[in-house]
Amino acid sequence: GNCVESGYQHERCFWWWLGTRCRQWESCPNAPARVERILERFDANQDDQITLDEVQALRVEHFNQMDADGNGLASFEEFEVFVTQKKQERQNENAQNRRGRKYCGQRDVGSNFANMDLSGDDQLSLDEFTAIVPLFDKFDADNNGIITTEELNQRPQRRRQ
């Protein structure tokens, strides 16, 4: 499941904003397994497509898990704990499945938090957390709000806005 060039796990790169690193994205021998794992995680209705609504529903679920004190906002500390827990879960899954995957080196947690904190108040609201889904747009090549298996097999596109 690792990228033949960068060694990164493709599906982790997808959600931690590193999916564009591999110049051999399409020819990666692990592409079918990568697509299957991405669909398994994000395709809630199992129609072999990922919609923005499915991604947002998962992000809402993640936000609710992250908001430990239930005040409707996530502090940097809550965000950091959540990211660390997700990283540990992935490492445990990989060990159980003996996949031996390396957790991809996402930007540091502080940078991710700062990029999502649109109001600059050192807290994330649900709206802020769900507002930015940059790689959804990169994978949605035809910009129709649906990522198909064909689009998942293509290298993500850089979009200018």
Side-chain angles (χ1 to χ4, degrees), residues 99-135:
R99 291 182 181 153
R101 290 196 207 129
K102 170 174 131 181
Y103 185 80
C104 83
Q106 81 259 18
R107 289 184 291 180
D108 83 280
V109 174
S111 294
N112 285 333
F113 184 87
N115 287 338
M116 286 188 263
D117 183 16
L118 302 175
S119 65
D121 63 357
D122 295 326
Q123 307 180 93
L124 296 179
S125 67
L126 177 60
D127 287 342
E128 287 173 317
F129 188 70
T130 59
I132 300 175
V133 189
L135 277 189

Short mmCIF file of all heavy atoms in Angstrom, two decimals, residues 99-135:
data_model
loop_
_atom_site.label_atom_id
_atom_site.label_comp_id
_atom_site.label_asym_id
_atom_site.label_seq_id
_atom_site.Cartn_x
_atom_site.Cartn_y
_atom_site.Cartn_z
N ARG A 99 0.76 -4.84 7.41
CA ARG A 99 1.01 -4.12 6.16
C ARG A 99 2.35 -3.40 6.20
O ARG A 99 2.87 -3.04 5.17
CB ARG A 99 -0.11 -3.11 5.89
CG ARG A 99 -1.42 -3.79 5.57
CD ARG A 99 -2.48 -2.76 5.27
NE ARG A 99 -3.74 -3.40 5.00
CZ ARG A 99 -4.90 -2.84 5.20
NH1 ARG A 99 -4.97 -1.63 5.70
NH2 ARG A 99 -6.00 -3.47 4.93
N GLY A 100 2.83 -3.14 7.39
CA GLY A 100 4.14 -2.50 7.53
C GLY A 100 4.21 -1.12 6.93
O GLY A 100 5.26 -0.69 6.49
N ARG A 101 3.12 -0.41 6.90
CA ARG A 101 3.11 0.90 6.28
C ARG A 101 3.67 1.95 7.21
O ARG A 101 3.46 1.93 8.40
CB ARG A 101 1.70 1.31 5.90
CG ARG A 101 1.21 0.50 4.77
CD ARG A 101 0.01 1.17 4.19
NE ARG A 101 -0.78 0.12 3.61
CZ ARG A 101 -2.03 -0.07 3.85
NH1 ARG A 101 -2.68 0.71 4.63
NH2 ARG A 101 -2.66 -1.05 3.27
N LYS A 102 4.31 2.89 6.60
CA LYS A 102 4.84 4.04 7.32
C LYS A 102 3.74 5.09 7.37
O LYS A 102 3.06 5.33 6.38
CB LYS A 102 6.05 4.52 6.51
CG LYS A 102 6.65 5.81 6.90
CD LYS A 102 7.90 5.96 6.05
CE LYS A 102 7.96 7.31 5.42
NZ LYS A 102 9.11 7.49 4.59
N TYR A 103 3.56 5.70 8.51
CA TYR A 103 2.58 6.80 8.61
C TYR A 103 3.15 7.98 7.87
O TYR A 103 4.28 8.37 8.09
CB TYR A 103 2.35 7.16 10.08
CG TYR A 103 1.27 8.19 10.26
CD1 TYR A 103 -0.07 7.83 10.21
CD2 TYR A 103 1.61 9.51 10.45
CE1 TYR A 103 -1.05 8.78 10.36
CE2 TYR A 103 0.63 10.46 10.60
CZ TYR A 103 -0.69 10.08 10.56
OH TYR A 103 -1.67 11.02 10.70
N CYS A 104 2.38 8.55 6.98
CA CYS A 104 2.95 9.59 6.15
C CYS A 104 3.20 10.86 6.94
O CYS A 104 2.53 11.17 7.90
CB CYS A 104 2.08 9.87 4.93
SG CYS A 104 0.70 10.96 5.14
N GLY A 105 4.22 11.57 6.56
CA GLY A 105 4.68 12.74 7.30
C GLY A 105 3.89 13.97 6.96
O GLY A 105 4.31 14.80 6.18
N GLN A 106 2.72 14.10 7.55
CA GLN A 106 1.92 15.28 7.28
C GLN A 106 2.59 16.52 7.85
O GLN A 106 3.48 16.43 8.66
CB GLN A 106 0.51 15.14 7.86
CG GLN A 106 0.40 15.45 9.33
CD GLN A 106 0.37 14.21 10.18
OE1 GLN A 106 0.74 13.14 9.73
NE2 GLN A 106 -0.06 14.34 11.39
N ARG A 107 2.13 17.66 7.34
CA ARG A 107 2.62 18.91 7.89
C ARG A 107 2.41 18.87 9.39
O ARG A 107 1.57 18.15 9.90
CB ARG A 107 1.85 20.09 7.31
CG ARG A 107 2.16 20.33 5.87
CD ARG A 107 1.45 21.54 5.40
NE ARG A 107 0.01 21.27 5.36
CZ ARG A 107 -0.88 22.14 4.98
NH1 ARG A 107 -0.52 23.34 4.64
NH2 ARG A 107 -2.15 21.83 4.95
N ASP A 108 3.14 19.69 10.09
CA ASP A 108 3.00 19.61 11.54
C ASP A 108 1.58 20.00 11.96
O ASP A 108 0.88 20.72 11.26
CB ASP A 108 4.07 20.46 12.23
CG ASP A 108 3.72 21.92 12.31
OD1 ASP A 108 3.89 22.64 11.30
OD2 ASP A 108 3.27 22.34 13.38
N VAL A 109 1.17 19.47 13.09
CA VAL A 109 -0.19 19.64 13.59
C VAL A 109 -0.55 21.11 13.72
O VAL A 109 -1.66 21.52 13.39
CB VAL A 109 -0.35 18.89 14.94
CG1 VAL A 109 -1.70 19.15 15.56
CG2 VAL A 109 -0.13 17.41 14.75
N GLY A 110 0.38 21.92 14.17
CA GLY A 110 0.12 23.35 14.33
C GLY A 110 -0.23 24.04 13.03
O GLY A 110 -1.13 24.88 12.97
N SER A 111 0.46 23.69 11.96
CA SER A 111 0.17 24.29 10.65
C SER A 111 -1.21 23.87 10.17
O SER A 111 -1.96 24.68 9.62
CB SER A 111 1.21 23.86 9.62
OG SER A 111 2.46 24.38 9.93
N ASN A 112 -1.54 22.59 10.34
CA ASN A 112 -2.87 22.13 9.94
C ASN A 112 -3.95 22.87 10.71
O ASN A 112 -4.96 23.30 10.13
CB ASN A 112 -3.01 20.62 10.17
CG ASN A 112 -2.27 19.80 9.15
OD1 ASN A 112 -2.07 20.24 8.02
ND2 ASN A 112 -1.86 18.62 9.54
N PHE A 113 -3.76 23.01 12.01
CA PHE A 113 -4.73 23.70 12.85
C PHE A 113 -4.87 25.16 12.40
O PHE A 113 -5.98 25.66 12.21
CB PHE A 113 -4.31 23.63 14.32
CG PHE A 113 -5.31 24.24 15.26
CD1 PHE A 113 -6.36 23.49 15.76
CD2 PHE A 113 -5.20 25.57 15.66
CE1 PHE A 113 -7.28 24.04 16.63
CE2 PHE A 113 -6.13 26.14 16.53
CZ PHE A 113 -7.17 25.37 17.01
N ALA A 114 -3.75 25.83 12.22
CA ALA A 114 -3.77 27.24 11.83
C ALA A 114 -4.47 27.45 10.48
O ALA A 114 -5.21 28.42 10.30
CB ALA A 114 -2.35 27.80 11.78
N ASN A 115 -4.25 26.53 9.55
CA ASN A 115 -4.91 26.64 8.25
C ASN A 115 -6.41 26.48 8.34
O ASN A 115 -7.15 27.05 7.54
CB ASN A 115 -4.34 25.61 7.27
CG ASN A 115 -2.95 25.96 6.83
OD1 ASN A 115 -2.53 27.11 6.89
ND2 ASN A 115 -2.21 24.96 6.38
N MET A 116 -6.89 25.71 9.30
CA MET A 116 -8.33 25.51 9.45
C MET A 116 -8.97 26.59 10.31
O MET A 116 -10.17 26.83 10.20
CB MET A 116 -8.60 24.14 10.07
CG MET A 116 -8.38 23.02 9.09
SD MET A 116 -8.92 21.44 9.76
CE MET A 116 -7.38 20.82 10.36
N ASP A 117 -8.20 27.24 11.17
CA ASP A 117 -8.73 28.26 12.08
C ASP A 117 -8.93 29.57 11.31
O ASP A 117 -8.16 30.51 11.42
CB ASP A 117 -7.77 28.45 13.26
CG ASP A 117 -8.28 29.46 14.28
OD1 ASP A 117 -9.50 29.78 14.24
OD2 ASP A 117 -7.47 29.91 15.10
N LEU A 118 -9.99 29.61 10.52
CA LEU A 118 -10.24 30.74 9.63
C LEU A 118 -10.48 32.05 10.37
O LEU A 118 -10.16 33.12 9.87
CB LEU A 118 -11.42 30.43 8.71
CG LEU A 118 -11.26 29.17 7.84
CD1 LEU A 118 -12.55 28.89 7.07
CD2 LEU A 118 -10.07 29.31 6.91
N SER A 119 -11.04 31.97 11.58
CA SER A 119 -11.32 33.18 12.35
C SER A 119 -10.10 33.66 13.15
O SER A 119 -10.10 34.77 13.65
CB SER A 119 -12.48 32.93 13.32
OG SER A 119 -12.10 31.96 14.29
N GLY A 120 -9.10 32.81 13.28
CA GLY A 120 -7.90 33.18 14.02
C GLY A 120 -8.09 33.27 15.51
O GLY A 120 -7.30 33.93 16.21
N ASP A 121 -9.12 32.60 16.05
CA ASP A 121 -9.41 32.69 17.48
C ASP A 121 -8.83 31.52 18.29
O ASP A 121 -9.17 31.33 19.45
CB ASP A 121 -10.91 32.80 17.73
CG ASP A 121 -11.69 31.59 17.26
OD1 ASP A 121 -11.08 30.65 16.68
OD2 ASP A 121 -12.91 31.56 17.46
N ASP A 122 -7.94 30.75 17.67
CA ASP A 122 -7.30 29.60 18.32
C ASP A 122 -8.28 28.52 18.74
O ASP A 122 -8.03 27.78 19.69
CB ASP A 122 -6.44 30.04 19.52
CG ASP A 122 -5.27 30.91 19.09
OD1 ASP A 122 -4.73 30.68 17.98
OD2 ASP A 122 -4.90 31.83 19.84
N GLN A 123 -9.39 28.41 18.02
CA GLN A 123 -10.37 27.37 18.23
C GLN A 123 -10.95 27.02 16.86
O GLN A 123 -11.03 27.87 15.99
CB GLN A 123 -11.53 27.84 19.12
CG GLN A 123 -11.10 28.43 20.43
CD GLN A 123 -12.33 28.86 21.23
OE1 GLN A 123 -12.81 28.09 22.02
NE2 GLN A 123 -12.83 30.06 20.99
N LEU A 124 -11.37 25.78 16.71
CA LEU A 124 -12.03 25.38 15.47
C LEU A 124 -13.51 25.18 15.75
O LEU A 124 -13.88 24.46 16.68
CB LEU A 124 -11.46 24.07 14.94
CG LEU A 124 -10.01 24.05 14.49
CD1 LEU A 124 -9.63 22.65 14.02
CD2 LEU A 124 -9.77 25.07 13.41
N SER A 125 -14.32 25.81 14.95
CA SER A 125 -15.76 25.52 14.99
C SER A 125 -16.02 24.39 14.00
O SER A 125 -15.16 24.07 13.16
CB SER A 125 -16.55 26.76 14.58
OG SER A 125 -16.32 27.06 13.21
N LEU A 126 -17.19 23.82 14.07
CA LEU A 126 -17.56 22.78 13.11
C LEU A 126 -17.51 23.34 11.70
O LEU A 126 -17.01 22.68 10.78
CB LEU A 126 -18.96 22.23 13.42
CG LEU A 126 -19.49 21.19 12.44
CD1 LEU A 126 -18.59 19.96 12.39
CD2 LEU A 126 -20.91 20.79 12.82
N ASP A 127 -17.99 24.56 11.51
CA ASP A 127 -17.97 25.17 10.18
C ASP A 127 -16.54 25.31 9.66
O ASP A 127 -16.28 25.05 8.48
CB ASP A 127 -18.65 26.54 10.19
CG ASP A 127 -20.16 26.45 10.32
OD1 ASP A 127 -20.72 25.36 10.06
OD2 ASP A 127 -20.78 27.46 10.70
N GLU A 128 -15.61 25.72 10.52
CA GLU A 128 -14.22 25.86 10.09
C GLU A 128 -13.63 24.49 9.75
O GLU A 128 -12.91 24.35 8.76
CB GLU A 128 -13.38 26.51 11.19
CG GLU A 128 -13.65 28.00 11.35
CD GLU A 128 -12.93 28.59 12.54
OE1 GLU A 128 -12.91 27.96 13.62
OE2 GLU A 128 -12.38 29.71 12.38
N PHE A 129 -13.92 23.50 10.57
CA PHE A 129 -13.35 22.18 10.37
C PHE A 129 -13.86 21.54 9.09
O PHE A 129 -13.12 20.82 8.41
CB PHE A 129 -13.66 21.27 11.56
CG PHE A 129 -12.95 19.95 11.53
CD1 PHE A 129 -11.58 19.87 11.72
CD2 PHE A 129 -13.66 18.78 11.32
CE1 PHE A 129 -10.92 18.65 11.69
CE2 PHE A 129 -13.02 17.55 11.29
CZ PHE A 129 -11.65 17.49 11.48
N THR A 130 -15.10 21.81 8.72
CA THR A 130 -15.66 21.20 7.51
C THR A 130 -15.53 22.10 6.27
O THR A 130 -15.83 21.65 5.16
CB THR A 130 -17.14 20.83 7.72
OG1 THR A 130 -17.87 22.01 8.06
CG2 THR A 130 -17.29 19.78 8.79
N ALA A 131 -15.07 23.33 6.44
CA ALA A 131 -15.01 24.27 5.32
C ALA A 131 -13.93 23.92 4.31
O ALA A 131 -14.10 24.13 3.11
CB ALA A 131 -14.77 25.69 5.84
N ILE A 132 -12.83 23.39 4.77
CA ILE A 132 -11.69 23.17 3.89
C ILE A 132 -11.50 21.67 3.65
O ILE A 132 -11.19 20.93 4.57
CB ILE A 132 -10.41 23.79 4.50
CG1 ILE A 132 -10.60 25.29 4.68
CG2 ILE A 132 -9.21 23.48 3.62
CD1 ILE A 132 -9.47 25.98 5.37
N VAL A 133 -11.71 21.27 2.42
CA VAL A 133 -11.48 19.88 2.02
C VAL A 133 -10.71 19.95 0.69
O VAL A 133 -11.22 19.63 -0.37
CB VAL A 133 -12.81 19.11 1.86
CG1 VAL A 133 -12.54 17.63 1.65
CG2 VAL A 133 -13.71 19.31 3.06
N PRO A 134 -9.44 20.39 0.75
CA PRO A 134 -8.70 20.70 -0.48
C PRO A 134 -8.49 19.53 -1.42
O PRO A 134 -8.58 19.69 -2.63
CB PRO A 134 -7.37 21.24 0.03
CG PRO A 134 -7.23 20.71 1.41
CD PRO A 134 -8.62 20.58 1.94
N LEU A 135 -8.24 18.36 -0.89
CA LEU A 135 -7.97 17.26 -1.81
C LEU A 135 -9.23 16.69 -2.41
O LEU A 135 -9.17 16.02 -3.44
CB LEU A 135 -7.14 16.17 -1.14
CG LEU A 135 -5.66 16.47 -1.16
CD1 LEU A 135 -4.85 15.28 -0.68
CD2 LEU A 135 -5.16 16.92 -2.50
#
